[in-house]
Amino acid sequence: MGRASITGIFLFGLLVTSGLAQVGPVPGYGPIFIGSGTAALVCTGGTKTTSGGNTVRTFTANGTLACTGTGSFSYLIAGGGGGGGLGGGGGGAGQCLTGTTGAFGAASTSITIGGGGATDTSGTATSAGAVVTANGGGKGAGLAAAASGGSGGGGSEGFPTAGAANGTGTSAGGNGSIIANFGGGGGGASAAGQAETGAKGGQGGAGCTSSISGTSTQYACGGGGGGNGSAPSGGNAGCTGAGNGGGSAGGASATANTGSGAGGGANNCCSAFNGGTGGSGLFIVSYVGT
């Protein structure tokens, strides 16, 4: 005798899929209870993949995460990266946050993906409803001072002081040169951008590393500071996906949906070049269900 807990079976021609219902007794077994009372997670929205038995949904553009059922969700969210400075500092990374929540269950959550900043422009925030928001990265210094943000932008010759970090787990940019035309690196999610070296623009700060999608990936790195007009003088990006500083030309743009900062543009005696555009943000959620 005893109980059997089974979800979603046919019994005497009747499909029972949810709830805790007694349908016995059945000779030889006693009462049988159907269902556990907990509805499995079923969600829509974003691009669906799987990893390690979990469903993964990745949002690279605005959308809606709509779920029925209850359960636990792991997430990664990154704001848009800051733009590189005109002849100046590297863009700061967007804020990168990870965590676990049940708040997306039995709910419809609006996802807004932050944009990467253009030259001398900070990135914008990424949000998942009222559950979590990641700030955009600060712009690198160029025509104006570097901005604070998820991570701060790098300084320039004209405005050597770097932008400050704004938000938990983020970092400041690096200082630029006062007289030698080099830009500082933009801050990354896990490390500050480096100051210029006297021969090269500062390197961008390192980002946050996550395997939520099934592959270890680094997001939200800082852009490299601009150089002084010679080709090899641009600062290196904090990681693949962020923009290198321009040595004798414009800074490189960051890859879309990485939350990384762009490279600062070069600055020589006669010309200042545009910084690149920061990478847009993203939102990834992983859970057991469909």
Side-chain angles (χ1 to χ4, degrees):
M1 300 296 180
R3 296 180 178 182
S5 182
I6 308 169
T7 301
I9 67 167
F10 279 95
L11 186 64
F12 308 125
L14 175 65
L15 176 63
V16 181
T17 58
S18 64
L20 186 62
Q22 180 177 338
V23 296
V26 175
Y29 292 94
I32 294 180
F33 290 79
I34 305 298
S36 64
T38 300
L41 282 168
V42 178
C43 301
T44 60
T47 299
K48 178 182 175 182
T49 56
T50 58
S51 174
N54 280 15
T55 294
V56 179
R57 293 187 178 274
T58 301
F59 289 80
T60 56
N62 296 346
T64 300
L65 176 66
C67 299
T68 59
T70 58
S72 180
F73 298 78
S74 297
Y75 66 83
L76 179 145
I77 185 170
L86 175 69
Q95 189 176 17
C96 178
L97 301 173
T98 60
T100 303
T101 183
F104 300 124
S108 182
T109 305
S110 178
I111 309 300
T112 301
I113 301 300
T119 301
D120 284 352
T121 306
S122 296
T124 58
T126 296
S127 63
V131 179
V132 62
T133 297
N135 297 322
K139 66 182 180 69
L143 293 176
S148 299
S151 297
S156 66
E157 178 190 16
F159 300 92
T161 302
N166 178 4
T168 303
T170 53
S171 304
N175 290 335
S177 170
I178 296 176
I179 58 173
N181 296 352
F182 294 103
S190 65
Q194 297 179 15
E196 55 82 22
T197 66
K200 193 176 180 70
Q203 182 171 347
C208 63
T209 301
S210 173
S211 298
I212 189 171
S213 65
T215 302
S216 180
T217 304
Q218 193 169 182
Y219 305 94
C221 300
N228 69 346
S230 65
S233 64
N236 294 329
C239 69
T240 300
N244 291 320
S248 57
S253 294
T255 303
N257 301 120
T258 62
S260 291
N267 185 14
N268 60 24
C269 67
C270 308
S271 302
F273 295 86
N274 284 336
T277 298
S280 49
L282 78 161
F283 174 71
I284 305 174
V285 67
S286 173
Y287 58 94
V288 176
T290 57

